[in-house]
Amino acid sequence: MTLESTISALLARQKPGFSLDQAFYRDDDIYRLDLEEFWYRDWLFAGHDCEIAQPGSFFTVQVGDYSVIVVRGRDGVIRAFHNVCRHRGSRICLTEKGRASRLVCPYHQWTFDLDGQLLFARQMGEEFDPAPYGLKPVACEAAAGYIWISLASAPADFAPQRRRLETYFGAHNLKDAKVAFESTIIENGNWKLVWENNRECYHCAANHPDLCKTYPEAPSVTGVDGAERDPEIAAHWAACEDRGLASRFDMESDGQSRAVRVPLLRGAESYTMTGRRAVGRKLSDGFPGEEGIGALLLFHYPTTWNHVLIDHAISFRVLPISATQTQVTTKWLVHKDAVEGVDYDLEKLTEVWIHTNDEDRRIVEDNARGIASPAYQPGPYSEIHEGGVMQFVEWYCETLKRRLGPESQARIAAE
């Protein structure tokens, strides 16, 4: 059987409401297929506008085999390029972030402008034409303070995601914020396990004592059904919408992306040990009203979830490293003029999610070790608490079936 036929067979026997077969969490060939069918095709959250606020500012991001440079040009436009010199393929930017007037390959000093064109190639002869040797572009879009890239040769329409971001995030003015702190951890588990853990709070009471001081465990908050029937959430939506803030649950038709605004526990305004604000000034000067607005949540498979509060925002970026390793980068954003030690204490700002991330890392790694056992077999999710997990697994399976196409389905039927 071919790999596609093997996967089609696994998908065909996938029971609704159950976890995936062991191979989906551990097999190297399926991991490579995940890269091709998801990570190299979909729009991926790369970072924030404010991280490259000045012309020449750049950061790099590694997606599977691809290294990508994201840079702001002298014209203010944010672009992305493959981090591969057009001479002999050396990496150009060797650091995660920086600022430069030109992009210079350290190997032979081929020099590229910020818009990707080749400006200088030393001693290549009089007949050499630099025009065809500009950096290879990567599709790039910026919306509401978020930068997205797609490695696909023909990326999907970005308009639905732009609409969602601008509608829900516009009032928070994240493009003019600043990153107060950044943390990257490696979780020894498949990227799908990281997402499954994120998509439920069934585990929260036993594992996240700090987060549970402010964040609700209610399935209507973490799942995809029932929010409109929850009177507290409905009242919160109405109050926020009276202030002009988009709040109601909004999900893409294929289930890949969604946004919603939810209340925090007991009138909390921020993810702190006390529930009080972590930052003395609001995230946006133009934000309507002074009272808290709970948390604005954004999820976009396979690469990001987000929490935006009245005083700060937290973005999470998921990137696969291998079949059994995943990188999770967390960034805390505050008002661009907020001063550490004056407007906020860095420990108070970050402690809840630093603790929560480490707890989630342990959970994912324990889960991955258990799945590695020959005794593992797919188990049932809780219909009450794990609706969000079931939705993620359904999205993954249905998307993979669709992208593998009818040919593989026909092959498995014939075999």
Side-chain angles (χ1 to χ4, degrees):
M1 293 178 70
T2 65
L3 173 62
E4 288 189 1
S5 294
T6 298
I7 293 174
S8 293
L10 291 173
L11 292 171
R13 71 174 189 233
Q14 173 69 25
K15 293 176 64 175
F18 277 67
S19 59
L20 293 163
D21 188 274
Q22 183 187 59
F24 285 108
Y25 301 119
R26 297 189 53 79
D27 185 84
D28 289 332
D29 289 335
I30 293 181
Y31 166 72
R32 297 300 307 180
L33 189 70
D34 280 355
L35 290 179
E36 295 291 341
E37 298 299 335
F38 294 94
W39 298 93
Y40 298 166
R41 289 183 60 162
D42 289 318
W43 285 102
L44 310 175
F45 166 58
H48 295 283
D49 298 41
C50 63
E51 297 180 70
I52 49 173
Q54 302 300 318
S57 298
F58 70 87
F59 62 80
T60 59
V61 59
Q62 185 75 32
V63 183
D65 297 326
Y66 293 93
S67 177
V68 178
I69 306 167
V70 181
V71 60
R72 188 181 291 270
R74 272 178 283 278
D75 55 3
V77 175
I78 297 173
R79 300 178 177 88
F81 302 98
H82 288 284
N83 190 12
V84 178
C85 183
R86 295 300 309 282
H87 177 212
R88 286 169 55 187
S90 176
R91 284 202 174 182
I92 299 169
C93 295
L94 305 182
T95 59
E96 290 185 3
K97 58 187 67 177
R99 189 178 181 193
S101 59
R102 301 285 191 274
L103 301 175
V104 182
C105 177
Y107 197 0
H108 300 96
Q109 289 74 57
W110 277 35
T111 302
F112 302 86
D113 204 353
L114 300 178
D115 64 3
Q117 68 175 312
L118 177 60
L119 296 177
F120 174 70
R122 184 169 57 91
Q123 298 180 0
M124 289 296 291
E126 294 182 2
E127 301 301 316
F128 177 72
D129 179 9
Y133 298 101
L135 295 177
K136 290 187 176 181
V138 174
C140 182
E141 296 281 355
Y146 286 77
I147 302 170
W148 302 79
I149 61 172
S150 175
L151 293 160
S153 56
D157 184 11
F158 188 74
Q161 182 70 347
R162 180 180 298 280
R163 175 195 60 78
R164 185 170 293 105
L165 286 163
E166 292 178 348
T167 299
Y168 282 81
F169 287 78
H172 296 279
N173 197 32
L174 292 180
K175 67 182 181 64
D176 291 325
K178 70 176 181 181
V179 176
F181 190 72
E182 176 179 338
S183 167
T184 294
I185 61 174
I186 305 299
E187 301 189 15
N188 292 313
N190 186 269
W191 67 273
K192 296 184 286 294
L193 288 181
V194 173
W195 267 108
E196 288 188 41
N197 177 64
N198 171 266
R199 293 313 311 123
E200 48 91 358
C201 218
Y202 193 23
H203 71 279
C204 289
N207 294 278
H208 298 318
D210 296 344
L211 182 63
C212 285
K213 295 179 186 296
T214 56
Y215 187 77
E217 300 172 73
S220 54
V221 172
T222 57
V224 294
D225 295 307
E228 69 283 352
R229 297 188 298 274
D230 185 317
E232 183 180 2
I233 294 177
H236 184 71
W237 288 349
C240 290
E241 288 172 352
D242 283 346
R243 295 164 65 177
L245 301 172
S247 300
R248 295 180 185 276
F249 184 88
D250 176 64
M251 184 164 70
E252 199 64 33
S253 58
D254 64 359
Q256 183 175 32
S257 182
R258 64 185 178 277
V260 66
R261 205 178 295 271
V262 300
L264 298 182
L265 293 176
R266 296 177 288 276
E269 293 194 293
S270 195
Y271 295 133
T272 59
M273 301 298 283
T274 64
R276 294 191 291 271
R277 296 185 191 184
V279 186
R281 64 185 303 169
K282 292 185 295 185
L283 186 56
S284 170
D285 288 334
F287 198 83
E290 292 298 326
E291 68 273 20
I293 39 70
L296 170 59
L297 310 180
L298 171 75
F299 304 91
H300 186 88
Y301 305 144
T303 193
T304 188
W305 64 84
N306 302 262
H307 297 246
V308 183
L309 309 153
I310 195 167
D311 64 330
H312 73 281
I314 313 166
S315 66
F316 302 81
R317 186 186 68 195
V318 178
L319 291 172
I321 297 175
S322 71
T324 55
Q325 280 195 315
T326 306
Q327 180 193 83
V328 179
T329 297
T330 308
K331 297 175 183 178
W332 287 258
L333 283 73
V334 300
H335 190 284
K336 64 179 180 179
D337 296 325
V339 178
E340 182 183 351
V342 177
D343 296 300
Y344 64 94
D345 176 88
L346 194 59
E347 181 179 357
K348 290 180 180 179
L349 173 67
T350 60
E351 62 182 334
V352 168
W353 274 105
I354 284 180
H355 294 167
T356 301
N357 283 345
D358 190 57
E359 292 153 0
D360 280 331
R361 177 196 56 76
R362 173 185 54 78
I363 291 166
V364 167
E365 293 180 353
D366 288 345
N367 195 183
R369 281 193 287 266
I371 287 172
S373 168
Y376 168 78
Q377 64 183 59
Y381 296 120
S382 165
E383 293 185 2
I384 298 173
H385 288 281
E386 295 178 296
V389 187
M390 288 189 281
Q391 188 273 333
F392 166 74
V393 170
E394 180 182 13
W395 168 81
Y396 172 80
C397 291
E398 292 304 313
T399 302
L400 196 52
K401 287 178 186 177
R402 186 172 67 253
R403 291 178 178 178
L404 290 178
E407 295 83 1
S408 63
Q409 302 298 324
R411 279 197 299 270
I412 184 61
E415 293 166 354

